[in-house]
Amino acid sequence: MTAHATTFRRLHANGTLLRLPNAWDAASARLFESLGARAIATTSAGVAWSQGYADGYAMPVEVVLAYAKNLVRVLQVPLSVDMEDGYSDDPAQVADLAARLAEVGVAGINLEDGRKPAELLARKAEAIRERLAKDGLDLFVNARTDVVLARLVDEGSQVEEAIARGTLYRSAGVDGLFVPGLTDAAQIQAVVAGVDLPLNLMAWGGLANATQLQALGVKRLSAGSGIPQVLWGHAAKLATDFLQGGESDKLQGQIPYGQMQNLFSGP
């Protein structure tokens, strides 16, 4: 819905760092919303694994649409969907998926370049903007560049390349720039100053805390796949202990059944 997209856009411009504890299914999305998240974004890795696919452009488009629609159904706050590279190198097909996501009520998307040419992402973004305008729809388009995360250029050129890509993507009509892997304060400030877009970072070892990031000019902080990976690590240990010892008293620390039930059925 356009209203959700407008609200989501405002969350990047109100002076307070937007913190997104990325969800991977309806339960995590509703739980995070109930804990005070002002918006929900998905983690592509977490969603892919929860749907039975490897991360990295493997999910069928219909699966992407189905899980997005299900999350919209249970949420009141804006939802941003990580659509990876759009699951196609054809800008028209990527624009079609973006429009279909907007039609089911998604407020924003992530679109990444990965190891593909920056110009390709720019063409996809332009196609998305044209399609949304034609259909009377809106989305906050967050362009993710993997310059730092995938080490697409040598370390000394990463900031310059991130700024160049951010500038290109802005000219193509995106609303935000996501640079996962960026942690150095001086480099963060350089990107903030060099690209006239809200900067999104990913929670990462060595990254400053939210208060410090806000002071540096960062507008959005994403947990990425960190929360589900921690949970699944804990689940692996619990399952191993249960399979080996069968001890019920080790299954401690659960959220009460009633609390989870109320997320979907009310008090």
Side-chain angles (χ1 to χ4, degrees):
M1 295 179 184
T2 300
H4 274 319
T6 300
T7 299
F8 192 53
R9 190 170 281 109
R10 288 173 179 163
L11 289 173
H12 293 77
N14 65 5
T16 302
L17 181 71
L18 176 60
R19 307 178 195 185
L20 296 174
N22 300 65
W24 59 96
D25 61 10
S28 58
R30 270 294 292 125
L31 177 62
F32 297 160
E33 180 184 43
S34 76
L35 296 174
R38 293 176 293 163
I40 298 295
T42 63
T43 156
S44 63
V47 169
W49 297 331
S50 72
Q51 298 295 318
Y53 296 92
D55 186 31
Y57 324 142
M59 277 192 298
V61 166
E62 296 306 322
V63 173
V64 176
L65 286 164
Y67 88 72
K69 186 175 182 179
N70 196 37
L71 266 61
V72 168
R73 179 181 63 82
V74 302
L75 292 172
Q76 297 298 315
V77 298
L79 171 69
S80 180
V81 167
D82 189 336
M83 53 185 276
E84 302 189 81
D85 71 342
Y87 307 101
S88 174
D89 287 340
D90 180 348
Q93 291 186 16
V94 175
D96 181 68
L97 174 57
R100 294 174 73 184
L101 287 169
E103 286 170 352
V104 302
V106 170
I109 56 172
N110 270 24
L111 184 67
E112 66 189 58
D113 51 24
R115 297 185 178 276
K116 297 177 181 179
E119 292 73 18
L120 178 59
L121 187 147
R123 292 199 301 274
K124 292 176 181 179
E126 289 170 348
I128 289 170
R129 279 288 163 235
E130 291 174 4
R131 176 63 182 274
L132 293 175
K134 177 183 176 182
D135 294 352
L137 299 168
D138 191 19
L139 285 171
F140 183 102
V141 181
N142 199 38
R144 166 175 161 166
T145 178
D146 283 335
V147 166
V148 178
L149 190 64
R151 301 179 181 179
L152 299 181
V153 297
D154 64 83
E155 188 172 348
S157 302
Q158 288 175 352
V159 171
E160 180 182 358
E161 180 66 16
I163 291 173
R165 292 190 181 213
T167 301
L168 173 65
Y169 300 156
R170 182 180 183 278
S171 69
V174 308
D175 300 285
L177 179 65
F178 185 21
V179 190
L182 188 65
T183 60
D184 180 81
Q187 293 180 341
I188 291 169
Q189 285 182 309
V191 175
V192 168
V195 184
D196 188 19
L197 288 172
L199 179 60
N200 179 192
L201 296 180
M202 181 186 289
W204 203 262
L207 186 64
N209 64 35
T211 301
Q212 294 167 325
L213 291 176
Q214 183 171 305
L216 291 172
V218 178
K219 298 298 184 181
R220 173 170 164 178
L221 178 63
S222 301
S225 63
I227 294 175
Q229 283 187 260
V230 169
L231 290 177
W232 289 329
H234 188 51
K237 184 179 186 308
L238 287 173
T240 298
D241 289 346
F242 182 78
L243 289 168
Q244 292 179 351
E247 298 179 27
S248 299
D249 60 4
K250 288 191 176 182
L251 300 178
Q252 302 296 322
Q254 306 102 321
I255 289 181
Y257 175 89
Q259 182 178 340
M260 288 301 299
Q261 189 76 343
N262 285 342
L263 294 178
F264 301 100
S265 58

